[in-house]
Amino acid sequence: MSDTRTGEPAATPEPDPRRWWGLVVIALAQLMVVLDATIVNIALPSAQRALGMSDGNRQWVITAYTLAFGGLLLLGGRIADLVGRKRTFVIGLIGFAAASALGGAATNSAMLFGARALQGVFAAVLAPSALSLLTTTFTDPRERGKAFGIYGALAGSGSAIGFIVGGVLTEYLNWRWCLYVNVPIAVIAVVGALSLLHDRPGHAGARLDVPGVLLGCGGLVALVYGFSEAQPRGWSDPLVLGLFAAGVVLLATFVWWQTRAPMPLLPLHIIRDRNRAGCFLTMMLAVIGMFGLFLFMTYYLQVILGYSPVKTGLAFLPLTAAIVIGSTQISARLLNHVGPRMLMVPGMLLASGGMVILTQLTVHSEYASEILPALILMGLGMGLTFMPVFSTATAGVAPQDSGVTSATVNTSQQVGGSIGTALLNTIATTSSANYIAAHLTNPSQRARVIPEGVVHGYTTAIWIAAGVMLLAGLVAGLLVNAKAPKHGAHTGSPVPEPVG
């Protein structure tokens, strides 16, 4: 039997004896990409002062990255399939390092915004090639569980690690090192990739689906941009509504075009599989809730409880540890014996339970008794969920589609993060304003009422996040019906070869 598109033998090659060192390289690159979405959060006040950014424009330090990253992921995934995953991986690393150096050296806000957007572009190339290299390197079910456990732990904890690293670098060096730190990491990863990673070449005769790129990437950019602008402008603003409408129209046209394109950007058979569709949707909903947690807990710890940047970062450490344990010690060990939804559903229930605990926050809450238990539950829940999501979504995919499938997983993550940040932040600020307006009857009460109002806004939004987590668990329970690999079934249905 041979690959119908390349004519290569379908026989499974002998596993590379250095594949676990290759996993270290892939994991390092993935960690860099994920933590860069949050590492500058704690540094943002310092960068704002240094470069004279306005309050209205400072969000672009975050948004420029997520906008380019989320909008261009599908294109990055298809480039990995066409050019070759290893080559795309190395290009992404080099570009990401160069963009990070440019951002660290920024002399004004426009230069920093541009560098962050460029980081997002190269992250969109790097992330799908990293996940698809992992998918094609580890095919044995038992090894695959371990590898995806490590990968899922990094994907889930990378944002929290970003807060810790960002706090340390900002407090003891300066905000620019939150960007410069990527350069040595990328150099190590490039050297490791060139010596340890192997990949068959890309498909020389293949062409890029240009209309698909314009429609798909344009639609995603419009949606992500719309969610990012919803917070400062409001959900009823004409620009926000126009962006949402444009995004929906472009994505609907994209789906129509993919049924007719000779070489589609996103072959629709990838998302027709109920297990993959369930994983994509579960990931998006889970990340909506998780990004809400990061956003509110960062401000709560620093503004309400008065924590320093380093202390704030360290406060997230139990969450990170719980994600790693849930992913590598629980999910990775159990996935060979139970179906993925038997991990994903309890995971989302645990995470939602952690959120419910946080709805009880007050201005004077204690970290050890009221915040720590919630973070541990959240971390275990995320660890239980992310590992089977990554493994199931990428299982059984034809090699030439592994890049774009990996990109779709990452896209659901980035779009979820953008929705979570904008939606929950808008709910929190509106609820806070209403509480303060209702309770601030005397100016002398200002010092008491305003912090109470801010915390009330956080807890209201956290209730919504807890509900979204429950919805993620429901989706996983209804859609993901794959069997455990040990029981002789693939974790995802094999994808048929496209015709033509």
Side-chain angles (χ1 to χ4, degrees), residues 135-308:
T135 302
T136 53
T137 300
F138 294 93
T139 53
D140 175 77
R142 192 172 295 278
E143 287 193 348
R144 186 181 174 85
K146 293 178 184 176
F148 275 90
I150 295 167
Y151 188 89
L154 288 172
S157 63
S159 299
I161 294 171
F163 286 120
I164 299 168
V165 175
V168 171
L169 292 174
T170 302
E171 193 157 321
Y172 295 112
L173 293 171
N174 64 48
W175 66 269
R176 296 181 186 275
W177 280 97
C178 291
L179 293 159
Y180 285 144
V181 71
N182 292 319
V183 177
I185 296 174
V187 169
I188 294 168
V190 167
V191 172
L194 292 174
S195 59
L196 294 168
L197 296 180
H198 303 284
D199 183 34
R200 68 187 195 181
H203 304 279
R207 290 176 300 158
L208 200 60
D209 173 21
V210 176
V213 169
L214 296 175
L215 291 168
C217 296
L220 286 172
V221 167
L223 280 184
V224 175
Y225 187 21
F227 279 113
S228 68
E229 287 294 297
Q231 192 274 317
R233 292 173 177 269
W235 292 92
S236 59
D237 182 83
L239 174 65
V240 173
L241 294 176
L243 286 166
F244 286 152
V248 169
V249 170
L250 285 169
L251 289 177
T253 310
F254 168 76
V255 171
W256 169 82
W257 171 249
Q258 294 307 283
T259 63
R260 288 157 177 78
M263 301 193 76
L265 180 68
L266 175 61
L268 294 183
H269 54 249
I270 289 172
I271 54 175
R272 284 197 193 106
D273 179 87
R274 65 180 289 167
N275 287 297
R276 266 183 280 280
C279 286
F280 297 150
L281 193 52
T282 300
M283 171 62 83
M284 186 174 75
L285 293 169
V287 173
I288 287 175
M290 188 176 76
F291 266 61
L293 171 82
F294 289 148
L295 180 72
F296 300 131
M297 288 311 299
T298 302
Y299 278 98
Y300 178 79
L301 293 170
Q302 289 196 68
V303 176
I304 303 299
L305 298 187
Y307 282 23
S308 69

Side-chain angles (χ1 to χ4, degrees), residues 349-433:
L349 290 174
L350 279 176
S352 181
M355 285 288 196
V356 170
I357 293 174
L358 289 176
T359 62
Q360 308 307 307
L361 287 177
T362 68
V363 178
H364 305 293
S365 289
E366 293 289 331
Y367 176 83
S369 59
E370 296 169 77
I371 299 171
L372 180 60
L375 294 181
I376 291 172
L377 282 178
M378 275 285 299
L380 288 173
M382 286 297 179
L384 281 171
T385 304
F386 280 160
M387 183 267 163
V389 163
F390 282 120
S391 181
T392 306
T394 56
V397 179
Q400 67 269 17
D401 289 330
S402 66
V404 74
T405 305
S406 304
T408 310
V409 182
N410 281 289
T411 299
S412 62
Q413 205 174 354
Q414 289 303 312
V415 172
S418 299
I419 294 172
T421 302
L423 173 65
L424 297 175
N425 200 35
T426 302
I427 291 169
T429 51
T430 304
S431 181
S432 292

